[in-house]
Amino acid sequence: MNYTKLLFSLVFTLVAFSVFGQGGRQRQPTPPRPVVQPQQQTPPPVQQRPRQGQGEKVPVDLQQADSLIGGTFNGQRIDKLIGNVIFKQKDGTLYADSVYQYKEKNVLEAFGNVRINQADTVNITGNTATYNGDTRTAKIIGNVVMRDPSMTLTTPSLDYDLNTRTATYTEGGVIVQPGNRLESRRGAYNTQTKMLDFQQDVKVKTADYDIKAQNMKYNTLTKVVYFQGPTFIEGQQGDLYAEQGTYNTITKVSNFGRNAYILTDEYRLGGDKLYYDESTGYGFAEKNVSLRALKDDVTIRGAIGRYWRDRGEAKVYGNALMETVMEGDTLFLSADTLYSQEPRGARTASMIYAYPDVKIFKSDLQGKADSLSYNRTDSIMHLNVNPVLWSEESQMVGDTIHIQLRNQTIDRMYMYSNAFISSEDTLQNYNQVKGRDMTAFFVGGDIRRVNVNGNGESLYFALEGDTVLTGMNKAICSDMTLMFAENKLKRISFLVQPDASFVPPHELEEGARQLEGFTWMSDIRPTKEQVLAKQPVPKAGTTVKPAVKAPALKTTTKAGGRKKAGRGKKNRQ
């Protein structure tokens, strides 16, 4: 055996730490040789370096090499080691086909089949590497692959800090795990915390989702994704968007913040706080909640929202407000709770329910009721429990009121049981018609005709111009027709022989100016400000007490003898 090679191996074996890996590798072409002055090819004595952690430095120790050529280049000592080279420092081991060792700088330059191993858990390979023994940092270049028990990272170049056990790349990297693939332009990976920090053009692909973001963190053990900035998640069951939050790729549970939303074929549910469980299809939103039904362009807003994907149900409560465009005008509908249900089969309808304290505002239509249901399949709206509607100067009342829509405009209105329609003229007289049931017909959103069916009674004040009362027509007729123009009552037609009379002004008594049950309720007619107004919202998790049923209508007398509507001591607002 060559004496120089034997002596070289013995000297470095005596001062070495334990080797973590096997260094045998196939010999690669030797890199260009530096210009050195001739030296004796016997390795110099090993210089002990101060150890780290005690004010000393831990040396980078040579464990193995097939040959060594020493020399001085530009005034600095260089040792060139060739063939199956192994260096070790603390828990880190460097393997390469050849290495230049700069002892004064404590730097290694490694070439060919470079591999860095730390604590038998982190393994990095590449074409070349530069290792600084003082800082215990390495820069690996060319076809870099980093592996630990939880992932595999590939990148053109990588910086690795053996002290913090953190890898950093800036030229694009791809991380692969079972079932997940992650990539970004820049990134960092801490092999102790198993946390990946992605920056710029981040993409994550799982079996269920494709995620795109600019800033994101990912834990390779828990499989949880952390978002900081606009993030899109596209899935088979729907899409998600958020600007802050987390997504668990195992449980498929999302917790999002800032402008988050869930997007499905039926709905877009959003809020500043959003929870969504993909496995169960349940979503929960808080703060600035909006629920949009995409098929008919209906938007519901409120304080809290819930969504059940598999049941096709969504609920918004706490200052719930529905908006939809009808005949070029926005209809606003408010209630404590708005509930939407998609059809579950061919024989079921798509429904929206509102309760309690329903208020409606549109520029030419206002209304109030305790509850409302809207059949979106048949375009029929049902107002229940003390419903009242106003259109221009007309007021319509019934035990229940149904509104038939066509092409997003009111086509017909049905008032069932104790139906009452009235209007105020320029002299503050109230024209009144009541009956068992009524059907109102609209053209272009304006009321044109009302059919009274059963137990019909009417009072109609005749005016000369708009300033002089000439008398009052009173009639009792089971069926009659009311004709309107410009939303004002113009004519009443009696379909059977009426019991009618005309009362001149001087014979009119105050009690004869209204039909039994008449109540003028303009003081509870909703304004746009009232419909849009926000009320205090109970905290999430608290139970909302059911609304107390409104007291029965009663009549109160105002100055001048006219009668105004009241509902007990407090009017419902």
Side-chain angles (χ1 to χ4, degrees):
M1 176 181 290
N2 182 280
Y3 176 79
T4 300
K5 182 175 181 181
L6 175 61
L7 178 61
F8 173 81
S9 299
L10 289 173
V11 171
F12 283 95
T13 301
L14 290 174
V15 297
F17 291 96
S18 299
V19 179
F20 285 111
Q22 298 300 320
R25 290 183 177 270
Q26 183 178 354
R27 183 184 293 254
Q28 296 294 324
T30 304
R33 178 177 177 178
V35 178
V36 297
Q37 298 178 1
Q39 297 280 336
Q40 184 180 358
Q41 295 189 10
T42 302
V46 177
Q47 298 179 1
Q48 296 292 333
R49 294 179 177 273
R51 296 184 178 276
Q52 293 178 340
Q54 299 177 348
E56 301 176 343
K57 294 183 178 180
V58 177
V60 183
D61 296 322
L62 176 63
Q63 304 293 299
Q64 177 181 308
D66 290 345
S67 63
L68 177 148
I69 302 174
T72 301
F73 178 71
N74 290 336
Q76 61 178 333
R77 172 72 184 184
I78 301 175
D79 286 344
K80 179 179 178 182
L81 301 110
I82 301 173
N84 301 314
V85 183
I86 303 175
F87 277 89
K88 182 176 177 58
Q89 186 184 44
K90 297 183 71 172
D91 62 348
T93 306
L94 170 69
Y95 304 86
D97 289 341
S98 61
V99 173
Y100 289 171
Q101 183 180 23
Y102 301 84
K103 290 192 174 181
E104 293 180 2
K105 296 189 298 183
N106 200 20
V107 171
L108 304 177
E109 290 183 354
F111 308 91
N113 291 316
V114 175
R115 178 164 65 96
I116 296 176
N117 179 275
Q118 185 174 22
D120 280 342
T121 56
V122 177
N123 199 61
I124 306 171
T125 61
N127 295 339
T128 64
T130 301
Y131 180 76
N132 188 314
D134 291 343
T135 60
R136 297 189 74 216
T137 58
K139 184 174 185 63
I140 306 97
I141 299 175
N143 301 313
V144 180
V145 178
M146 177 181 180
R147 293 183 175 87
D148 76 357
S150 60
M151 66 96 216
T152 298
L153 164 65
T154 59
T155 181
S157 64
L158 184 75
D159 293 321
Y160 184 66
D161 189 326
L162 281 78
N163 295 311
T164 62
R165 301 184 67 168
T166 301
T168 306
Y169 60 88
T170 59
E171 297 184 272
V174 176
I175 293 171
V176 177
Q177 287 187 296
N180 294 331
R181 185 181 188 275
L182 306 92
E183 62 178 283
S184 67
R185 179 64 182 174
R186 297 181 289 116
Y189 177 53
N190 189 309
T191 64
Q192 297 184 95
T193 63
K194 306 300 180 185
M195 184 67 72
L196 282 157
D197 190 346
F198 294 106
Q199 304 288 329
Q200 194 175 346
D201 300 330
V202 183
K203 298 178 182 179
V204 180
K205 186 174 183 61
T206 73
D208 302 294
Y209 279 114
D210 289 337
I211 304 174
K212 297 179 181 180
Q214 289 299 313
N215 301 289
M216 193 181 78
K217 293 183 178 181
Y218 176 69
N219 191 302
T220 60
L221 288 181
T222 63
K223 308 296 191 299
V224 174
V225 180
Y226 301 83
F227 305 113
Q228 289 290 337
T231 302
F232 295 89
I233 303 179
E234 299 177 359
Q236 298 176 355
Q237 299 292 337
D239 299 337
L240 304 171
Y241 170 83
E243 296 176 7
Q244 184 182 30
T246 64
Y247 171 65
N248 190 314
T249 62
I250 296 177
T251 63
K252 300 180 179 60
V253 171
S254 305
N255 279 285
F256 291 157
R258 290 211 306 263
N259 302 321
Y261 64 77
I262 306 167
L263 182 64
T264 70
D265 292 339
E266 304 291 342
Y267 293 106
R268 182 188 184 276
L269 173 63
D272 286 344
K273 288 186 177 181
L274 180 63
Y275 167 91
Y276 185 62
D277 187 336
E278 165 64 21
S279 59
T280 63
Y282 171 72
F284 175 82
E286 286 185 282
K287 295 185 178 180
N288 298 318
V289 173
S290 64
L291 174 68
R292 183 178 177 185
L294 301 178
K295 291 184 177 179
D296 46 12
D297 197 21
V298 173
T299 300
I300 299 174
R301 309 182 192 278
I304 298 173
R306 301 181 187 273
Y307 171 64
W308 296 267
R309 183 194 65 216
D310 294 342
R311 287 158 44 182
E313 299 176 8
K315 178 181 179 181
V316 176
Y317 53 95
N319 294 312
L321 175 69
M322 185 181 83
E323 301 177 26
T324 186
V325 176
M326 298 175 62
E327 47 197 12
D329 189 11
T330 302
L331 182 144
F332 300 94
L333 186 154
S334 69
D336 177 78
T337 300
L338 289 168
Y339 181 85
S340 177
Q341 185 175 41
E342 289 303 312
R344 313 304 293 173
R347 296 185 178 181
T348 59
S350 174
M351 299 293 298
I352 290 180
Y353 301 92
Y355 56 89
D357 195 19
V358 177
K359 299 184 184 74
I360 298 172
F361 181 88
K362 189 172 173 288
S363 61
D364 57 357
L365 181 71
Q366 298 82 46
K368 275 184 68 70
D370 182 73
S371 61
L372 175 148
S373 61
Y374 174 39
N375 185 324
R376 289 182 289 175
T377 302
D378 296 334
S379 296
I380 298 178
M381 188 178 294
H382 306 261
L383 289 84
N384 307 300
V385 186
N386 298 325
V388 188
L389 290 172
W390 294 266
S391 178
E392 300 294 341
E393 302 302 324
S394 298
Q395 172 184 286
M396 292 156 280
V397 178
D399 288 353
T400 59
I401 297 177
H402 297 176
I403 300 174
Q404 176 73 58
L405 304 177
R406 177 176 294 179
N407 298 325
Q408 295 187 326
T409 61
I410 299 177
D411 182 60
R412 295 186 185 186
M413 182 184 299
Y414 303 90
M415 292 166 278
Y416 297 111
S417 300
N418 300 313
F420 222 117
I421 185 167
S422 51
S423 62
E424 185 178 24
D425 64 19
T426 56
L427 298 179
Q428 291 188 313
N429 298 302
Y430 297 99
N431 298 314
Q432 307 154 49
V433 178
K434 75 173 186 177
R436 184 179 63 246
D437 303 319
M438 293 187 189
T439 303
F441 299 86
F442 292 76
V443 176
D446 296 332
I447 188 170
R448 292 296 177 86
R449 186 176 89 247
V450 175
N451 292 342
V452 181
N453 303 309
N455 304 326
E457 296 183 50
S458 69
L459 288 180
Y460 181 74
F461 292 87
L463 302 182
E464 183 178 333
D466 291 331
T467 59
V468 178
L469 175 65
T470 60
M472 182 187 74
N473 290 291
K474 181 176 182 180
I476 299 175
C477 182
S478 60
D479 301 324
M480 60 183 75
T481 298
L482 286 67
M483 303 303 296
F484 290 78
E486 298 178 350
N487 286 309
K488 294 182 179 180
L489 180 62
K490 295 298 183 181
R491 186 177 74 254
I492 301 177
S493 299
F494 304 100
L495 303 184
V496 294
Q497 188 66 31
D499 180 4
S501 61
F502 179 81
V503 183
H506 64 277
E507 295 182 9
L508 280 176
E509 298 179 359
E510 186 59 35
R513 288 177 175 267
Q514 57 190 264
L515 298 175
E516 183 180 355
F518 167 72
T519 308
W520 187 248
M521 293 180 281
S522 62
D523 54 342
I524 64 170
R525 186 173 186 171
T527 64
K528 184 177 181 179
E529 291 72 21
Q530 289 174 332
V531 175
L532 299 180
K534 292 185 178 181
Q535 303 298 324
V537 179
K539 294 182 179 180
T542 59
T543 302
V544 180
K545 293 182 179 180
V548 178
K549 186 176 180 181
L553 289 169
K554 74 173 188 177
T555 304
T556 57
T557 304
K558 71 170 185 176
R562 300 193 185 279
K563 297 195 174 182
K564 300 289 287 182
R567 292 179 183 263
K569 293 183 179 180
K570 288 186 178 181
N571 292 341
R572 291 204 308 165
Q573 297 298 321

